[in-house]
Amino acid sequence: MAADLRPEVVLLDFWVSPFGQRCRIALAEKGVPYEYREEDLLNKGDLLLRSNPVHKKIPVLLHAGRPVCESLAIVQYVDEAWPDAAPPLLPRDDDPYARAQARFWADYIDKKIYDCQTRLWKLKGDAQEQAKKDLIEVLETLEAELAGKPYFGGDNFGFVDVALVPFTSWFPTYEKLGGFSVEKCCPKIVAWAKLCRERESVAMALTDPDKVYEFVQFLQSKFGVKQ
Amino acid sequence: MAVAAAAGAGGELRLLGTWSSPWVIRVRVALGLKGLSYEYLEEDLASKSDLLLRSNPVHGKVPVLLHGGRPVCESLVILEYADEAWPGVGPPLLPSDPYDRATARFWAAYVNDTFLPAFRALFRSLTEEQRAAAFENAVPKVEALDRALAECSKGKPFFGGDAVGLVDVALGSHLVWIRAVNEVAGTNLLDGARFPGLAAWAERFLAVDAVREVVPDAGKVLEQYKGFRAKWIAAAGSTSKST
């Protein structure tokens, strides 16, 4: 009888998903080997549907066959299930206040960025202009929070950085759709993005910005948005 | 009556809130379960205090927990903070096993991101048509929560098992509002016949001491809800066009 060759960790994902990329970055930072499986979102596979029956969405992390869903829950799970693997993604247990701040900012990013960017590509006219204004406000708020620190968590790359960095591949797309410069309004965020991209985990996970823009153009044509 | 524990390392506790906000109730339940004493400050959301605006500049919302003057915002963040800042004080809201923690976080996020928006549509519905559509949309979310209860509780009284946990607090704190909306709308979300598990859980949650002590009077909540609806109906009637 052949040995059970099922991989211990499997990530069900979609190539351009910033949410999936958060998980890839977390796994890479922790040095956890895993099998990446590309899902066809127009024709979802059985494993995805069985593993996330509630939302039927990626990313889904399967650890010894048990599914974990929702990207930030997955990132925290990776941090907690491999506690001896450096680096800790959330601030350490002895600083609950810092952990609360990290969770607050990750929640802020989740509440705001995806919604603004979706409205930016899907809508036109005044509604699109509002999406751009909202997005700039969000980026400026994050810029102020980053302030003079190298990373959102301070000296070390961590939870909030993981939560935000995949969206940085979308900056050129925001600029083309909105007609503004991210660097002009948020130079610190742009510098932070460059610093993060020096990490192998980030460089490997992020989609090339040109491919992101192509993907958004594909979505626009699919949804009948005039380009 | 819970013995007030010292606020602990980090100093005094203050909670900025409004008396009927279910998100504030979440925090009051958690603090009550841990036997923590705090100063409660009622906010007027039409005229927010400087303290609130300074403490939560990003959202300007309640609840805000101030611990030794340092603000923690967003109810679920505050709940996890309460577990971590006072470890060993009262049963933990989150389990210790990483997989179980991920499951609890998933369902707490489901309450916030999927159930509550559906409930809100029912809460805001003015016409019979809106009400019917909102109700139909909300029922599958209740079904999912009923299944989640069975999975998470594994036959025990709460989502958290033997003791109230994160998901219990996240969902249970909205029960007084769900009941108020049911009464006005003539709906029966959390129908005991259809969802006996969840209905029984609701009674158990509301009977917990720390919950009973902080859930506002159902009659007052109903009155406030009727007041909101009267305003919305008047506003809808006075606009001749929607923008």
Side-chain angles (χ1 to χ4, degrees):
Chain A
M1 193 76 148
D4 186 349
L5 296 170
R6 275 182 311 172
E8 173 84 339
V9 183
V10 178
L11 181 67
L12 308 182
D13 202 345
F14 183 64
W15 64 283
V16 70
S17 164
F19 304 101
Q21 289 164 6
R22 289 169 167 176
C23 305
R24 288 176 240 169
I25 292 167
L27 289 162
E29 285 285 323
K30 296 293 224 181
V32 174
Y34 69 98
E35 181 188 313
Y36 175 93
R37 286 199 204 163
E38 181 70 21
E39 287 294 321
D40 177 358
L41 298 185
L42 298 176
N43 188 17
K44 291 174 181 176
D46 277 339
L47 182 59
L48 173 58
L49 297 174
R50 274 187 289 119
S51 304
N52 192 357
V54 173
H55 298 301
K56 305 179 174 57
K57 288 182 172 177
I58 57 89
V60 178
L61 183 80
L62 291 148
H63 186 193
R66 295 199 301 178
V68 183
C69 308
E70 290 301 300
S71 63
L72 295 182
I74 293 171
V75 173
Q76 292 188 87
Y77 176 76
V78 171
D79 208 30
E80 295 172 359
W82 286 273
D84 300 326
L89 293 171
L90 267 109
R92 287 193 352 221
D93 283 349
D94 58 1
D95 196 349
Y97 190 75
R99 291 164 69 85
Q101 293 310 297
R103 290 185 180 121
F104 174 86
W105 285 105
D107 173 74
Y108 177 79
I109 290 160
D110 255 11
K111 278 180 163 68
K112 302 286 188 182
I113 298 234
Y114 188 72
D115 171 68
C116 288
Q117 76 175 34
T118 302
R119 286 186 287 130
L120 187 66
W121 70 254
K122 241 185 181 172
L123 307 174
K124 287 284 163 203
D126 287 344
Q128 187 188 38
E129 188 60 29
Q130 188 60 51
K132 166 188 154 184
K133 288 197 174 102
D134 293 342
L135 186 56
I136 291 174
E137 195 185 309
V138 170
L139 293 172
E140 288 175 341
T141 302
L142 291 166
E143 173 96 349
E145 175 54 24
L146 183 61
K149 299 175 290 187
Y151 298 106
F152 279 91
D155 290 326
N156 299 305
F157 182 78
F159 192 55
V160 181
D161 307 285
V162 174
L164 183 61
V165 78
F167 293 98
T168 62
S169 302
W170 294 65
F171 287 177
T173 297
Y174 302 163
E175 292 175 336
K176 290 191 177 85
L177 293 173
F180 70 102
S181 161
V182 176
E183 178 132 32
K184 276 216 179 81
C185 77
C186 301
K188 294 194 182 91
I189 293 281
V190 171
W192 160 84
K194 283 201 181 87
L195 180 66
C196 290
R197 276 199 304 274
E198 288 171 14
R199 302 178 82 81
E200 198 182 332
S201 65
V202 175
M204 295 288 288
L206 263 46
T207 309
D208 181 274
D210 291 336
K211 294 214 158 67
V212 171
Y213 186 59
E214 266 171 45
F215 177 72
V216 170
Q217 288 181 304
F218 158 74
L219 288 175
Q220 287 183 313
S221 71
K222 191 170 163 232
F223 283 85
V225 181
K226 205 176 91 143
Q227 293 182 39
Chain B
M1 186 71 172
V3 171
E12 303 241 296
L13 281 177
R14 303 169 96 187
L15 178 64
L16 309 182
T18 54
W19 67 274
S20 63
S21 159
W23 293 274
V24 173
I25 294 168
R26 287 175 173 182
V27 176
R28 300 193 77 172
V29 169
L31 295 175
L33 286 167
K34 294 190 181 284
L36 294 167
S37 61
Y38 58 96
E39 184 191 357
Y40 174 77
L41 297 166
E42 178 75 17
E43 281 287 328
D44 175 0
L45 296 183
S47 174
K48 292 175 181 177
S49 71
D50 279 339
L51 181 60
L52 174 57
L53 296 172
R54 273 187 289 119
S55 303
N56 193 356
V58 173
H59 299 300
K61 289 180 172 178
V62 294
V64 177
L65 182 71
L66 291 151
H67 186 194
R70 295 198 301 181
V72 184
C73 308
E74 287 304 301
S75 62
L76 294 183
V77 175
I78 297 171
L79 261 40
E80 291 216 37
Y81 178 73
D83 252 12
E84 295 180 349
W86 293 277
V89 176
L93 291 170
L94 275 123
S96 51
D97 174 74
Y99 189 77
D100 295 336
R101 289 163 73 83
T103 303
R105 287 178 179 133
F106 174 88
W107 286 109
Y110 183 87
V111 171
N112 269 10
D113 303 336
T114 305
F115 172 72
L116 286 176
F119 175 63
R120 187 171 191 275
L122 186 61
F123 170 77
R124 292 284 282 178
S125 59
L126 298 180
T127 66
E128 189 49 54
E129 208 177 58
Q130 289 168 351
R131 184 178 300 159
F135 184 76
E136 209 183 290
N137 180 52
V139 170
K141 281 70 172 173
V142 178
E143 270 170 13
L145 288 167
D146 190 54
R147 283 196 302 269
L149 175 63
E151 260 175 54
C152 296
S153 67
K154 304 194 230 295
K156 294 188 172 170
F158 299 105
F159 284 88
D162 289 311
V164 167
L166 185 76
V167 183
D168 300 282
V169 179
L171 180 60
S173 302
H174 294 266
L175 286 167
V176 66
W177 278 97
I178 293 171
R179 289 176 174 195
V181 170
N182 274 339
E183 178 145 345
V184 169
T187 49
N188 195 358
L189 206 61
L190 262 64
D191 177 1
R194 239 184 121 165
F195 308 115
L198 208 54
W201 163 83
E203 293 303 324
R204 282 194 296 272
F205 180 80
L206 292 171
V208 170
D209 282 343
V211 175
R212 276 189 315 106
E213 281 161 18
V214 302
V215 169
D217 175 72
K220 291 205 173 92
V221 169
L222 185 59
E223 205 183 292
Q224 186 178 54
Y225 182 50
K226 287 179 174 171
F228 290 160
R229 292 194 81 247
K231 276 199 211 117
W232 299 332
I233 289 166
S238 69
T239 49
S240 50
K241 284 200 274 217
S242 49
T243 48

